[in-house]
């Protein structure tokens, strides 16, 4: 059996119980094709330098590592969130198109902000204008991420929308999803990159439709707070 | 942004002293005001010392020279974003300016052919030469992009002047407008007159000895005769140059399109109208022949001016074909290459100073090495790589 086959066999219940007995099944990804001891690769050069300095690298020398992803790289332009976002924009496996759309969006963000920058007359005004599209993107996602979410819970024949806490991953996913859906809205005279640019800048300033959607969700959660205890039956 | 501005003012750390893994050392920027710019905005004075520096073109000059075309679209929109048109002074343009300054105007015209891969800077070098020509008092015959006349023709009509040839009324009017904007005041000063009578129809006649501006106005008002007007105008200018009344500079971008085997015009019997069947082709080929003097001809050949099947090589012999090469032979070939190290650094510095290259990590030595590698120092590729970040 090949090494990759060995690494990728789904762990049986016996294997889980015998190898890391104290850890519960829930703490491990049950659908991962990799065995638990297989490490995530480190791409970032600075992180690698740190590992070497601190001596961690020596410990990792003979630990198997997961296969490299196509989109992960050591480029100075690599941003995790952007990569995730591009994947979510992608449809039918058209990665290049998705990447071009998002990159065009970033360029448009820069164009809009630079227009404001060069129109500004004082240094103070100029200092306030954020020009980095990645910073704007991160802040926009932060502003669009909900803090609670609603889940349907059946009690006595009726289904109630109950507010429950949200994980970081889920919140980030919702923010990105809402952003993309907003950019794909009907009347496509304005194409995706321009819409993305406008939406990102609006969300950065805590205005716009995506932030409104998050705030509506929060309002709904607030309205349904009476049912919060349904979470525990 | 604020943090960055303060850092820039306090820490003027030079590029040479930055380290590779930038986690512990603050991000170093190369904000050296004078290395990548020059104050010399008159291209007549540009010399080798100005190489790899950016010089700025003022708005009125840009409108006068390039309103009808001449700057690549993406570059133009980028210059609008970056709040001012700046062109890098590079070796091909300096070479051309040097030759044009030293030309013996009594000898037959010299033809210069700029060649190189697509996206390497030929059109911008030509734009620099156009600015030079305008500053040095040449009358400019500038065709911004020849394929526009053959690949995207709006209307093609059988010519009123020549039986077997075709007119391009809309493109002709556009070009006459471009010509009159570029050369308006100069023509007015020179007071050039026609040396022939041109009969357009029973009532429309341009008499001998009438000013050239009349010919241009006729073309602008009557699209039907616009192409004929251009033919007459170019003929008159050639004659005027040879008789020392004016000095002519012919600048043509995408010259190999005249010898392309395709155009988008199809006759009723489904046969294609070749570029050689158009009247404008004849006019410009006559102007680029070396049977006149007191001027210069600067031309560029680009693979993208040919249909996609004919873009194998960027070299003039391949792109011009046998007829084109024999027409232009002998010419002075000038290669436009990718950026060298100095030009590359200068371009990056310009992008940083104009706040276009935003990513802090891309401004470090490591980032610049990466950009240099991934773009291959190819100007257009660098522009596309830097655009989103």
């Amino acid at each position: 059996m090949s090494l990759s086959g060995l690494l990728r066999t789904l762990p049986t219940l016996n294997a889980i119980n015998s190898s890391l007995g104290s850890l519960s099944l829930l703490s491990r990804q049950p659908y991962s094709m990799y065995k638990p001891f297989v490490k995530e690769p480190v791409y970032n050069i600075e992180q690698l330098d740190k590992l070497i300095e601190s001596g961690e690298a020596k410990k990792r020398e003979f630990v198997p590592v997961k296969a490299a992803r196509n989109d992960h790289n050591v480029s100075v332009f690599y941003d995790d969130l952007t990569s995730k976002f591009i994947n979510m924009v992608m449809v039918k496996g058209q990665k290049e198109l998705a990447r071009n759309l998002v990159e065009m969006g970033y360029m448009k963000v820069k164009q809009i902000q630079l227009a404001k920058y060069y129109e500004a007359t004082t240094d103070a005004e100029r200092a306030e204008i954020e020009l980095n599209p990645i910073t704007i993107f991160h802040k926009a996602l932060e502003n669009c991420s909900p803090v609670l979410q609603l889940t349907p819970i059946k009690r006595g024949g009726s289904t109630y929308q109950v507010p429950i806490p949200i994980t970081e991953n889920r919140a980030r996913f919702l923010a990105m999803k809402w952003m993309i859906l907003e950019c794909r809205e009907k009347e496509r005279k304005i194409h995706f990159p321009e819409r993305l640019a406008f939406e990102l800048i609006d969300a950065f300033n805590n205005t716009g439709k995506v932030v409104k959607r998050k705030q509506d969700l929060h309002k709904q959660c607030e309205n349904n707070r009476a049912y919060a205890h349904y979470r525990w039956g | 942004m604020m943090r960055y501005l303060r850092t820039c003012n306090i820490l003027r750390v030079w590029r040479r002293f930055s380290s590779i893994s930038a986690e512990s050392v603050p991000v170093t920027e190369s904000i050296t005001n004078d290395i990548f710019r020059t104050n010399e905005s008159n291209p007549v004075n540009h010399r080798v010392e100005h190489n790899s520096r950016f010089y700025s073109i003022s708005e009125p000059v840009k409108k006068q020279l390039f309103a009808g075309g001449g700057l690549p679209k993406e570059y133009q929109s980028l210059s609008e974003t970056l709040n001012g048109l700046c062109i890098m002074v590079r070796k091909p343009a300096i070479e051309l300016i040097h030759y044009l300054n030293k030309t013996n105007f009594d000898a037959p015209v010299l033809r210069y052919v700029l060649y190189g891969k697509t996206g390497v800077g030929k059109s911008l070098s030509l734009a620099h030469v156009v600015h030079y020509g305008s500053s040095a008092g040449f009358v400019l015959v500038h065709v911004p992009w020849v394929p526009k006349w053959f690949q995207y023709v709006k209307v093609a009509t059988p010519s009123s002047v020549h039986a077997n040839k075709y007119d391009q009324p809309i493109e002709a009017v556009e070009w006459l407008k471009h010509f009159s904007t570029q050369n308006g005041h100069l023509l007015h000063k020179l007071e050039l007159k026609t040396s022939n009578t041109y009969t357009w129809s029973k009532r429309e006649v341009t008499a001998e000895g009438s000013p050239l501006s009349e010919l241009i106005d006729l073309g602008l008002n009557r699209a039907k005769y616009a192409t004929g007007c251009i033919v007459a105008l170019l003929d008159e200018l050639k004659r005027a140059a040879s008789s020392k009344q004016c000095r002519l500079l012919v600048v043509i971008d995408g010259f190999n399109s005249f010898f392309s085997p395709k155009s988008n015009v199809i006759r009723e019997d489904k046969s294609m109208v070749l570029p050689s069947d158009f009247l404008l082709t004849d006019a410009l080929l006559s102007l680029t022949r070396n049977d006149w003097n007191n001027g210069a001809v600067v031309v560029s050949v680009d693979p993208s001016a040919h249909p996609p099947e004919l873009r194998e090589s960027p070299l003039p012999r391949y792109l011009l074909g046998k007829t084109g090469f024999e027409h232009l032979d002998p010419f002075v070939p000038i290669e436009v290459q990718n950026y060298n190290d100095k030009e590359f650094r200068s371009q990056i510095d310009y992008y940083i100073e104009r706040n276009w290259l935003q990513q802090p990590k891309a401004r470090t030595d490591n980032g610049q090495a990466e950009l240099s590698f991934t773009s291959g120092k190819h100007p257009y590729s660098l522009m596309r790589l830097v655009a989103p970040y």
Side-chain angles (χ1 to χ4, degrees):
Chain A
M1 200 193 221
S2 68
L3 181 63
S4 58
L6 182 70
L7 294 177
R8 286 205 189 97
T9 48
L10 275 172
T12 59
L13 256 170
N14 280 336
I16 292 168
N17 282 334
S18 59
S19 58
L20 298 155
S22 56
L23 287 171
S24 66
L25 194 63
L26 278 172
S27 67
R28 229 168 290 121
Q29 268 280 20
Y31 304 110
S32 172
M33 298 302 277
Y34 288 107
K35 287 217 155 184
F37 54 79
V38 180
K39 295 247 184 244
E40 288 280 353
V42 176
Y43 300 87
N44 196 327
I45 288 186
E46 285 130 26
Q47 281 184 17
L48 279 171
D49 283 341
K50 265 195 204 154
L51 285 177
I52 294 171
E53 268 176 46
S54 68
E56 265 285 316
K58 270 236 175 284
K59 292 185 201 164
R60 284 177 171 231
E61 261 170 28
F62 299 104
V63 177
V65 155
K66 290 184 185 173
R69 288 233 198 129
N70 275 335
D71 40 2
H72 257 145
N73 54 56
V74 293
S75 162
V76 292
F77 299 121
Y78 180 74
D79 178 42
D80 255 327
L81 278 181
T82 306
S83 175
K84 197 106 198 110
F85 191 66
I86 291 172
N87 281 341
M88 287 184 67
V89 168
M90 171 169 66
V91 168
K92 288 185 183 168
Q94 292 180 298
K95 183 62 158 273
E96 203 177 324
L97 176 60
R99 191 183 68 217
N100 284 337
L101 290 174
V102 173
E103 288 187 345
M104 277 285 276
Y106 282 176
M107 189 178 81
K108 300 259 179 239
V109 165
K110 269 206 295 188
Q111 277 178 348
I112 296 168
Q113 296 297 89
L114 270 178
K116 290 183 203 156
Y117 183 87
Y118 286 124
E119 257 182 47
T121 38
T122 60
D123 271 340
E125 271 178 63
R126 273 190 276 268
E128 301 228 319
I129 299 169
E130 178 60 58
L131 294 169
N132 190 341
I134 305 269
T135 317
I136 291 181
F137 176 63
H138 286 198
K139 191 77 175 52
L141 280 189
E142 216 183 281
N143 289 343
C144 294
S145 301
V147 173
L148 292 169
Q149 60 176 338
L150 293 169
T151 184
I153 291 180
K154 247 187 163 179
R155 285 278 176 277
S158 8
T159 317
Y160 299 97
Q161 290 290 330
V162 177
I164 57 162
I166 199 173
T167 58
E168 219 181 281
N169 279 351
R170 175 89 183 140
R172 185 193 65 211
F173 168 77
L174 283 177
M176 288 188 186
K177 195 72 187 174
W178 292 341
M179 184 71 72
I180 293 167
L181 286 176
E182 192 51 54
C183 296
R184 287 186 188 153
E185 280 286 289
K186 34 198 157 108
E187 280 175 39
R188 298 191 186 182
K189 284 202 180 136
I190 304 176
H191 291 293
F192 186 94
E194 283 97 340
R195 286 213 68 164
L196 177 63
F198 294 138
E199 292 299 340
L200 283 180
I201 292 174
D202 277 343
F204 176 74
N205 296 322
N206 235 336
T207 56
K209 297 192 185 139
V210 193
V211 169
K212 184 168 179 303
R213 186 163 178 176
K214 173 199 85 164
Q215 287 165 348
D216 285 345
L217 178 62
H218 285 176
K219 256 185 227 140
Q220 274 281 355
C221 292
E222 182 65 34
N223 290 340
N224 286 10
R225 55 190 288 185
Y227 304 128
H229 67 284
Y230 281 174
R231 191 172 156 224
W232 295 282
Chain B
M1 195 57 205
M2 214 169 213
R3 171 178 56 83
Y4 165 66
L5 277 175
R6 277 196 227 118
T7 328
C8 144
N9 286 326
I10 296 166
L11 285 178
R12 281 196 171 249
V13 183
W14 296 85
R15 203 188 284 117
R16 288 179 210 289
F17 303 111
S18 71
S19 66
I20 297 294
S21 62
E23 195 71 72
S24 47
V25 176
V27 167
T28 59
E29 296 111 18
S30 324
I31 315 293
T32 51
N33 290 326
D34 298 316
I35 279 184
F36 62 93
R37 276 201 204 265
T38 175
N39 286 326
E40 185 58 70
S41 56
N42 189 354
V44 177
N45 301 330
H46 282 156
R47 299 285 174 271
V48 179
E49 301 84 58
H50 297 110
N51 255 348
S52 85
R53 289 174 184 240
F54 283 87
Y55 85 100
S56 57
I57 298 180
S58 63
E59 266 301 308
V61 172
K62 175 185 166 184
K63 273 208 187 98
Q64 182 206 345
L65 295 177
F66 304 120
L71 296 170
K73 252 195 228 157
E74 284 187 55
Y75 196 84
Q76 186 154 7
S77 73
L78 183 64
S79 72
E80 278 159 28
T81 310
L82 302 186
N83 209 29
L85 175 64
C86 291
I87 296 184
M88 194 197 279
V89 177
R90 292 179 74 194
K91 180 161 168 277
I94 290 289
E95 211 178 314
L96 273 168
I97 289 174
H98 176 73
Y99 294 156
L100 291 171
N101 276 334
K102 294 260 156 69
T103 315
N104 174 12
F105 289 108
D106 294 323
V109 285
L110 271 175
R111 284 85 61 90
Y112 304 95
V113 175
L114 281 175
Y115 69 99
K117 292 183 285 194
T118 311
V120 86
K122 299 185 290 297
S123 293
L124 284 175
S125 298
L126 284 184
H128 193 170
V129 168
V130 163
H131 189 197
Y132 163 82
S134 164
S135 305
F138 284 83
V139 172
L140 289 166
V141 173
H142 176 223
V143 184
W145 184 237
V146 177
K148 201 162 158 229
W149 285 357
F150 304 123
Q151 304 299 331
Y152 311 103
V153 190
K154 298 201 180 81
V155 183
T157 55
S159 170
S160 49
V161 170
H162 196 296
N164 295 328
K165 299 285 177 171
Y166 285 82
D167 259 6
Q168 290 137 307
I170 300 174
E171 279 75 24
V173 170
E174 251 178 64
W175 188 82
L176 278 171
K177 214 181 288 179
H178 177 56
F179 178 83
S180 61
T181 327
Q182 279 190 327
N183 297 297
H185 65 285
L186 190 59
L187 280 181
H188 185 75
K189 204 171 68 167
L190 291 170
E191 292 177 357
L192 300 165
K193 307 256 192 277
T194 57
S195 57
N196 282 331
T197 321
Y198 298 101
T199 319
W200 307 110
S201 66
K202 269 194 210 153
R203 287 183 217 142
E204 284 157 337
V205 180
T206 311
E208 190 180 322
S210 49
L212 281 188
S213 50
E214 220 180 271
L215 202 59
I216 298 172
D217 284 333
L218 178 76
L220 284 173
N221 293 323
R222 303 280 277 119
K224 187 173 171 195
Y225 304 127
T227 318
C229 282
I230 294 181
V231 175
L233 176 71
L234 296 182
D235 203 38
E236 293 297 335
L237 283 173
K238 199 168 156 177
R239 212 163 301 180
S242 292
S243 52
K244 301 238 193 282
Q245 289 174 352
C246 71
R247 196 159 277 182
L248 204 56
L249 179 64
V250 182
V251 180
I252 302 177
D253 199 354
F255 188 74
N256 52 319
S257 199
F258 286 124
F259 307 101
S260 154
K262 272 193 181 174
S263 83
N264 73 332
V265 184
I266 303 178
R267 299 188 186 90
E268 287 99 32
D269 59 358
K270 305 285 168 82
S271 64
M272 194 182 330
V273 178
L274 299 174
S276 50
D277 294 332
F278 286 97
L279 197 57
L280 279 179
T281 313
D282 284 346
L284 278 150
L285 288 184
S286 148
L287 197 57
T288 50
R289 223 166 267 132
N290 55 355
D291 52 2
W292 54 288
N293 64 337
N294 203 21
V297 175
V298 184
V299 133
S300 90
V301 291
D302 190 17
S304 63
H306 262 324
E309 318 86 66
L310 289 172
R311 291 181 187 170
E312 251 190 74
S313 164
L315 300 173
R317 173 64 183 85
Y318 172 78
L319 290 173
L320 292 169
K322 187 162 181 291
T323 23
F325 190 83
E326 283 174 0
H327 174 85
L328 274 185
D329 194 31
F331 59 83
V332 178
I334 299 176
E335 190 183 5
V336 184
Q337 294 177 324
N338 286 338
Y339 286 146
N340 59 26
D341 280 332
K342 196 166 161 217
E343 288 172 339
F344 178 81
R345 282 258 155 97
S346 175
Q347 179 67 276
I348 298 280
D349 281 346
Y350 176 70
Y351 283 147
I352 292 173
E353 196 264 332
R354 293 274 86 200
N355 296 307
W356 186 237
L357 181 57
Q358 278 294 314
Q359 293 316 305
K361 282 212 195 132
R363 303 168 178 219
T364 61
D365 263 5
N366 216 9
Q368 297 206 9
E370 180 185 317
L371 279 172
S372 162
F373 179 73
T374 46
S375 68
K377 297 209 192 70
H378 184 234
Y380 183 65
S381 303
L382 179 63
M383 184 170 89
R384 295 303 301 270
L385 273 176
V386 164
Y389 300 107

